[in-house]
Amino acid sequence: MHLIFLLFLAPFCSAAVFQLPTKSTGSLRAKLIRAGKYQEFLITQHAARLNTISQPISDYSDEVYLGNFTVGTPPQPVSLVLDTGSANMWVIDASCDNMFCNGWIGSNYTRQKFDTSKSSSFSRENRKFSIQYGKGLCSGYLGTDTVGLGGGLTIRKQELGIANKLDVDFAVQPMDGIFGLAWPALAVDQITPPMQNLISQLDVPVFSVWLDRKIQASHGGSAGMITYGGIDTKNCDAGVTYVPLTAKTYWQFKMDGFAVGTYSQYGYNQVISDTGSSWISAPYAMINDIATQTHATWDEMNEIYTVKCSTMKTQPDLVFTIGGALFPVKSVEYILDIGLDEGKCALAISPLMASGFGPSWILGDVFIRQYCNIYDIGNARIGFANAHHSF
C-alpha cells in the first residue's frame, strides 16, 4: 500500500535531489572465508533456525547422562548413553531375563528392553556382535530398525546391536543401551554409526552437547541437551574455540598443557572428548600430582582418591591448554558427592593406561559440564564454549 502511494507521488514532486556518497565494505562472506571463520558463521546461522533439533538429556548422580529414543514400529522407548567414545548403537533384548540385563535392584532405574517381536520394521541379520568397552562387555546379534530421536528426526534403517548378554559392569548402570556418536572407523562390525545416517537430515553436519550439574543426587532429572545440526545457543556461549582432530576414530585432538595449583606440565598430549565417560582420565603420574595439589587421600576399599566435601568449591582449578586457550575446570565439577561416609567426596579423576598410540587423556562429563562440546563432522574439528549453569 505504501509502496504504491510513493510510486504515484514521485512524478509530481519537484523537490531537490539528494545524493549521498557510498562506499563498498567488501564481501562479508569473502572476509570470513579469508579469516577462516565462514564455516563457524554458517553453523551459528543454522543454529538459529527452527529446524535444528534439541534432545533433552537425563542425569543420574552427575555420572550417567541418557538421551530418550524410540526403536521399532510402533516405537518402543529406550534411554541410551550418549557416547562420543564409541560408534555402535545397541539396546537390550527383551528376551534377556537375568540380573545383568534386568539391572541391579538398587540402581533406582527400571530397564526398558526392546522386544523385536513387537516391531514390524525389525529385520534380524545373521551376524553376531560383541563389544568390549573400557568397562563393560556386551554381545548379541545385529539387526536393522527405525530409530526415533524426537523432534521429527528419524533413521529409517539403522543397523544396531540387540544385546542378550551383559557383564556385571553394565548391570549397575542406569541405561538401556548405548548410542555411539564417534566416527565410522571406530565402529565394530563395520556398521554405519547413527550420526552418519542423520547427516542428510541436518542443516549442517554438527552436533553439540551441553551437560548440567545438579550437585544433589539426581535420579533421572533433566540435566542437559544434545543439539543436532547446530549449536545450543541458549545454554552455551557464542564464542567457540575450535581445534582440528588428530584422528577420525574417537573425537581426538591435541592438548598443549595442563596445570593445577602450583603444578604445570606442557607438551603435546593426545586427548579425546568422551560423553560416555563420567570422569576425567589421566596418566598415572598426573593423578599423583593432582592428588598432591588437592590434598586427596587414597580410598583403598573403593579404589578412588577422596577429599573433604567441604572443599568442593575451594580447591584449585584444573587448567587445560587447548589450541592456545586456557580451559579451567572448577573444583565443583571435579569433586563429586557419591555417598561416601565421613564427609568424603570423590576426586572424579581416574588413571588411564596410555599405549603411546592412543589418547593419554579422556575428557569426560566432568570437563563437558564446564564447556559445551561442539562436534563438527563436516570440518573434522571440535569446539569448546563456556556452558551456562544456575549455580
Side-chain angles (χ1 to χ4, degrees):
M1 189 74 167
H2 297 293
L3 177 60
I4 294 172
F5 174 76
L6 290 172
L7 287 173
F8 277 96
L9 179 63
F12 300 100
C13 293
S14 58
V17 175
F18 292 92
Q19 292 181 314
L20 296 175
T22 62
K23 62 180 180 179
S24 172
T25 59
S27 165
L28 173 62
R29 181 182 303 182
K31 286 183 176 181
L32 291 172
I33 290 173
R34 285 195 299 271
K37 295 183 177 294
Y38 189 55
Q39 290 296 322
E40 182 177 343
F41 169 77
L42 287 178
I43 291 171
T44 304
Q45 292 296 98
H46 286 308
R49 296 182 184 178
L50 294 177
N51 60 347
T52 53
I53 303 300
S54 291
Q55 176 186 24
I57 296 174
S58 301
D59 166 54
Y60 285 83
S61 302
D62 288 340
E63 287 202 298
V64 179
Y65 292 88
L66 305 176
N68 293 322
F69 298 83
T70 61
V71 183
T73 306
Q76 300 177 40
V78 288
S79 294
L80 309 178
V81 173
L82 296 157
D83 186 16
T84 56
S86 67
N88 288 70
M89 176 183 174
W90 59 267
V91 293
I92 302 173
D93 192 346
S95 68
C96 185
D97 192 27
N98 58 43
M99 64 174 293
F100 292 167
C101 287
N102 291 334
W104 178 50
I105 193 170
S107 66
N108 296 306
Y109 183 82
T110 301
R111 285 269 165 85
Q112 303 170 106
K113 295 183 285 185
F114 177 54
D115 191 339
T116 60
S117 68
K118 294 181 179 179
S119 173
S120 61
S121 53
F122 179 74
S123 177
R124 179 167 179 162
E125 298 180 15
N126 292 321
R127 293 200 296 159
K128 296 181 179 180
F129 89 97
S130 179
I131 303 177
Q132 175 67 64
Y133 294 87
K135 286 187 177 180
L137 171 69
C138 72
S139 61
Y141 59 92
L142 292 171
T144 60
D145 211 334
T146 299
V147 176
L149 291 81
L153 275 183
T154 301
I155 307 173
R156 294 298 173 190
K157 290 186 178 182
Q158 176 62 47
E159 196 169 19
L160 70 160
I162 310 300
N164 50 32
K165 290 184 180 179
L166 302 176
D167 69 8
V168 65
D169 290 298
F170 283 123
V172 298
Q173 295 295 324
M175 56 180 283
D176 304 322
I178 288 179
F179 191 78
L181 292 161
W183 292 81
L186 200 63
V188 175
D189 297 316
Q190 298 182 322
I191 63 98
T192 301
M195 275 308 302
Q196 276 60 41
N197 284 327
L198 278 176
I199 284 175
S200 62
Q201 300 180 50
L202 304 178
D203 286 337
V204 286
V206 169
F207 66 97
S208 59
V209 174
W210 166 71
L211 299 180
D212 204 0
R213 172 82 158 94
K214 292 299 185 182
I215 299 180
Q216 300 299 321
S218 171
H219 300 296
S222 179
M225 198 75 67
I226 179 170
T227 300
Y228 303 98
I231 299 173
D232 182 348
T233 55
K234 177 182 178 181
N235 298 300
C236 310
D237 277 359
V240 182
T241 299
Y242 286 98
V243 292
L245 298 182
T246 55
K248 290 198 290 186
T249 50
Y250 301 103
W251 285 89
Q252 185 170 320
F253 53 96
K254 285 183 179 179
M255 182 174 75
D256 307 321
F258 170 77
V260 55
T262 59
Y263 173 83
S264 61
Q265 179 265 337
Y266 295 95
Y268 288 132
N269 285 278
Q270 292 294 323
V271 184
I272 67 171
S273 166
D274 185 5
T275 56
S277 290
S278 304
W279 294 5
I280 290 174
S281 295
Y284 268 105
M286 208 67 65
I287 297 290
N288 293 332
D289 293 318
I290 295 171
T292 298
Q293 294 295 320
T294 57
H295 305 289
T297 56
W298 179 248
D299 182 333
E300 189 70 38
M301 180 179 295
N302 296 296
E303 297 184 345
I304 55 175
Y305 276 103
T306 65
V307 296
K308 294 180 179 179
C309 291
S310 58
T311 68
M312 181 181 289
K313 297 183 179 181
T314 59
Q315 294 277 12
D317 294 347
L318 307 178
V319 183
F320 301 87
T321 304
I322 303 169
L326 299 180
F327 293 91
V329 174
K330 297 178 181 178
S331 55
V332 71
E333 297 290 1
Y334 71 82
I335 296 175
L336 300 180
D337 186 351
I338 59 173
L340 301 172
D341 295 329
E342 301 176 355
K344 294 180 180 179
C345 279
L347 197 66
I349 303 168
S350 58
L352 177 66
M353 291 294 291
S355 65
F357 297 98
S360 54
W361 287 74
I362 297 176
L363 300 185
D365 299 337
V366 169
F367 180 85
I368 299 168
R369 281 197 297 266
Q370 185 86 58
Y371 299 99
C372 295
N373 279 214
I374 295 89
Y375 303 90
D376 188 344
I377 299 170
N379 292 295
R381 63 180 182 172
I382 188 168
F384 309 102
N386 283 314
H388 301 165
H389 299 292
S390 57
F391 61 84

